[in-house]
């Protein structure tokens, strides 16, 4: 049981993953570290107290969230300077993955202290492992934007990806976002919606986007809880398929302009996904 006898490093920041639902999804090593550190910095101390109490961990707990991260970072740097060790946890899963902590980790590393990751649950990776979509390459694109215009552009900008892409979604926006996604990628794209992973109502809905949207409209109960959406990449053949006019215009512009600018103009002029035109432009250049 090497994990339970590990001696903690002084003046180190441990970045510790916690469960995304099921409290049993925490490693022995994570528990050992959380028990042994001088300070635990948590996104929401009340929320994390439930986990820590469940495992009988009594280390001192302070808050670190987006509104106090700068001030707290300096306080924690002082703790490290005095030889203490600190753990960072978030409300769920891996800190820094759509969660606070980037500023702290950057500052601690820049100050020359060790940053030690303690791996564990993360909703993106958990969803990918069961989605049934290719995992040889994937891109995590964070949360979709809350404002309608930005959200539409967000989906258009990712529509031409050839690898699986994954985003976090709020239950309130799920249907609206999937409608934007449908406008950008079409009805027949394979999508998986992973909901309430590791919890009682865990559900993975797999299928063509058009069907999934129809089903969700008919059964709003399927939109509740925490949600990860995974989108199959565009098949390579489709990337090449711009219509003749768009293709001709793209070739003309490529003779005069950089790839990104030429693709931007064609995408805008012909109302096509920018990424798709960009991929085609790269192929033409080759
Ligand atoms: N740091 C976390 C991680 O490692 O996945 C993510 C934190 S982010 C603020 C919260 C979002 O992650 C949720 O809105 C949801 O999109 C996703 N998420 C977290 N837990 C989940 C779960 N059990 N099932 C599905 N999605 C989850």
């Amino acid at each position: 049981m090497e994990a339970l006898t590990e001696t903690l490093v002084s003046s180190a920041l441990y970045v510790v993953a916690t469960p995304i639902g099921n409290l049993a999804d925490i490693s022995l090593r994570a528990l050992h570290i959380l028990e042994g550190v001088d300070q635990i910095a948590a996104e929401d101390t009340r929320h994390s107290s439930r986990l820590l109490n469940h495992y009988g961990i009594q280390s001192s707990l302070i808050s670190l969230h987006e509104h106090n991260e700068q001030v707290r970072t300096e306080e924690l740097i002082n703790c490290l300077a005095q030889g203490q060790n600190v753990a960072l946890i978030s409300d769920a899963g891996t800190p820094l993955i759509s969660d606070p902590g980037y500023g702290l980790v950057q500052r601690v590393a820049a100050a020359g202290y060790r940053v030690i990751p303690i791996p564990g649950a993360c909703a993106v990776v958990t969803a990918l492992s069961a989605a049934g979509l290719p995992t040889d390459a994937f891109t995590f694109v964070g949360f979709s934007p809350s404002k309608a215009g930005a959200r539409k552009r967000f989906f258009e900008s990712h529509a031409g990806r050839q690898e699986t892409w994954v985003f976090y979604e709020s239950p309130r926006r799920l249907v609206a976002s999937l409608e934007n996604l449908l406008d950008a990628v079409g009805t027949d794209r394979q999508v998986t919606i992973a909901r309430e992973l590791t919890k009682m109502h865990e559900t993975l809905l797999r299928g063509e986007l058009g069907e999934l949207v129809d089903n969700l409209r008919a059964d709003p109960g399927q939109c509740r809880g925490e949600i990860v959406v995974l989108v199959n990449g565009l098949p390579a053949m489709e990337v090449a398929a711009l219509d003749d006019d768009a293709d001709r215009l793209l070739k003309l512009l490529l003779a005069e302009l950089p790839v990104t600018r030429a693709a931007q103009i064609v995408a805008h002029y012909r109302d096509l996904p920018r990424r798709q035109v960009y991929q085609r432009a790269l192929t033409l250049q080759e």
Side-chain angles (χ1 to χ4, degrees), residues 17-22 43 90-100 120-127 140 142-143 167-171 194-199 202-203 225-229:
T18 58
I20 56 168
N22 188 323
E43 188 181 359
S90 61
D91 285 355
T94 302
L96 277 82
I97 307 301
S98 294
D99 267 341
C122 177
V124 189
V125 174
T126 307
F140 172 56
F143 274 97
F167 60 96
Y168 285 165
E169 192 49 273
S170 130
R195 196 170 71 86
E196 294 287 87
L197 291 164
T198 78
K199 303 187 206 176
E202 177 179 274
T203 320
E226 298 201 275
I227 293 161
V228 183
V229 181

Side-chain angles (χ1 to χ4, degrees), residues 56-137:
I57 292 169
Q58 291 173 346
S59 308
S60 147
L61 193 60
I62 55 161
S63 68
L64 183 141
H65 44 69
E66 56 177 332
H67 305 297
N68 71 357
E69 186 165 353
Q70 257 185 329
V71 176
R72 275 289 191 258
T73 294
E74 293 318 311
E75 290 171 12
L76 291 172
I77 289 277
N78 281 337
C79 294
L80 298 175
Q82 288 163 27
Q84 294 190 359
N85 41 35
V86 174
L88 171 69
I89 58 176
S90 61
D91 285 355
T94 302
L96 277 82
I97 307 301
S98 294
D99 267 341
Y102 167 62
L104 174 67
V105 168
Q106 203 190 29
R107 173 84 174 88
V108 168
Y113 297 107
R114 272 187 73 182
V115 179
I116 303 174
I118 307 297
C122 177
V124 189
V125 174
T126 307
L128 266 168
S129 71
L133 294 174
T135 51
D136 51 338

Side-chain angles (χ1 to χ4, degrees), residues 19-63:
I20 56 168
N22 188 323
L23 290 190
D25 290 332
I26 188 159
S27 72
L28 293 176
R29 188 171 177 221
L31 292 175
H32 178 67
I33 301 295
L34 291 174
E35 206 158 36
V37 288
D38 298 300
Q39 293 271 1
I40 299 176
E43 188 181 359
D44 175 344
T45 51
R46 259 210 329 208
H47 178 97
S48 291
S49 292
R50 283 197 287 276
L51 172 77
L52 299 173
N53 289 340
H54 181 82
Y55 285 106
I57 292 169
Q58 291 173 346
S59 308
S60 147
L61 193 60
I62 55 161
S63 68

